[in-house]
Amino acid sequence: MKILAIDCTAKPASVAILEEGKVLSSAYTNTGLTHSQTLVPMVDSALKDAQLELSSVERFAINAGPGSFTGVRIGVAALKGLVFSDEKNCVPVSTLESMPYAFVGLPGTEDLVICGAMDARRNQVYTAAFEVKGGEVHRLTEDEALPIPELLEKLLAMHRPVLFVGDGAELVYEAAKETELTGHLAPENLRYQNAVSVAACAEAKIKAGFKPVGSDEILPVYLRAPQAERELKAKKERLK
């Protein structure tokens, strides 16, 4: 089963094609260009490098959020542009759930809680906790938006060392130094979400029984309202 995966939920963007766990091709960029500029050329490049036509791809996977509001929207829109809406061949993936797949099989990670943390601004993060056991990723907490101190309280209650991943990992790691939590910061090359992990997560979901859906059924997942909406709501509250 060939899976083409896309991620552009933060500043980097990436595309990958996997077949039964093997990476056929991948493309990654973190140059500051907008995702609308980079995604289509990256998809074309990944297909060319894998010596495939788009019609040869059997499943399409996307990090549907949480993440950057603009990035999530662009990624979902790009997927809808690649796939006919009546084809049930799409697998939406939680951005946070895709992250721990970069650590499957790495020695020493089975004893750790892997905490995905994406910067949500205002000292908050989008976050969820996972563990890797027996070559599989297991969810420990649901995706949520939390203030960093509240997240650290939840992690302390687990009584286990924690590996922080994601673009908010360093923020939480530095804050954890002020607590009794044993925290580790993932290395730069494994810290951020990547389409290779998105494809691996999608493959695991399918093997676990997930039924792929049509592209029209995939919606962005934000966890909280966009900043403009929050500011408008606050303004209305002040005027009451």
Side-chain angles (χ1 to χ4, degrees):
M1 178 174 56
K2 298 178 181 67
I3 302 174
L4 187 151
I6 292 172
D7 172 77
C8 57
T9 53
K11 289 182 179 179
S14 55
V15 175
I17 300 175
L18 263 67
E19 183 176 21
E20 302 302 329
K22 178 183 178 181
V23 181
L24 300 183
S25 66
S26 66
Y28 179 97
T29 181
N30 190 15
T31 60
L33 292 173
T34 65
H35 297 323
S36 57
Q37 291 175 286
T38 58
L39 267 184
V40 172
M42 289 171 72
V43 169
D44 289 342
S45 175
L47 288 167
K48 181 179 179 181
D49 290 345
Q51 299 182 338
L52 293 174
E53 299 292 333
L54 187 64
S55 58
S56 301
V57 176
E58 295 156 278
R59 297 290 184 266
F60 294 83
I62 178 76
N63 262 348
S68 154
F69 292 107
T70 301
V72 170
R73 285 198 303 270
I74 290 173
V76 171
L79 182 70
K80 292 177 185 289
L82 290 173
V83 183
F84 292 114
S85 61
D86 60 346
E87 292 187 53
K88 304 288 186 180
N89 57 3
C90 296
V91 183
V93 169
S94 157
T95 308
L96 294 160
E97 188 174 1
S98 71
M99 293 178 184
Y101 280 86
F103 301 90
V104 172
L106 286 183
T109 56
E110 293 209 351
D111 297 326
L112 302 173
V113 171
I114 299 178
C115 178
M118 301 181 67
D119 188 3
R121 311 301 180 191
R122 299 187 178 184
N123 205 37
Q124 292 189 345
V125 288
Y126 302 120
T127 185
F130 305 84
E131 64 180 0
V132 175
K133 295 288 185 183
E136 297 181 349
V137 173
H138 300 277
R139 180 182 283 277
L140 300 177
T141 65
E142 295 303 312
D143 293 2
E144 52 191 342
L146 289 178
I148 291 175
E150 188 175 335
L151 169 59
L152 292 175
E153 286 181 12
K154 293 184 73 167
L155 294 173
L156 279 164
M158 295 182 184
H159 304 291
R160 293 170 62 183
V162 179
L163 177 67
F164 294 108
V165 301
D167 63 10
E170 192 167 0
L171 289 173
V172 185
Y173 172 72
E174 291 299 327
K177 290 180 180 179
E178 305 301 319
T179 73
E180 296 181 356
L181 185 71
T182 301
H184 306 279
L185 185 62
E188 183 84 13
N189 63 314
L190 296 176
R191 191 177 307 164
Y192 307 107
Q193 51 267 49
N194 191 298
V196 172
S197 295
V198 179
C201 183
E203 187 175 66
K205 287 183 67 172
I206 293 169
K207 288 180 178 179
F210 178 84
K211 301 298 183 183
V213 300
S215 62
D216 58 333
E217 298 178 59
I218 296 181
L219 300 173
V221 176
Y222 296 129
L223 292 186
R224 67 177 190 180
Q227 183 176 348
E229 256 182 62
R230 299 196 305 272
E231 290 177 352
L232 179 60
K233 182 179 179 180
K235 183 177 180 181
K236 288 180 178 178
E237 290 293 329
R238 290 195 298 270
L239 292 174
K240 283 183 179 180

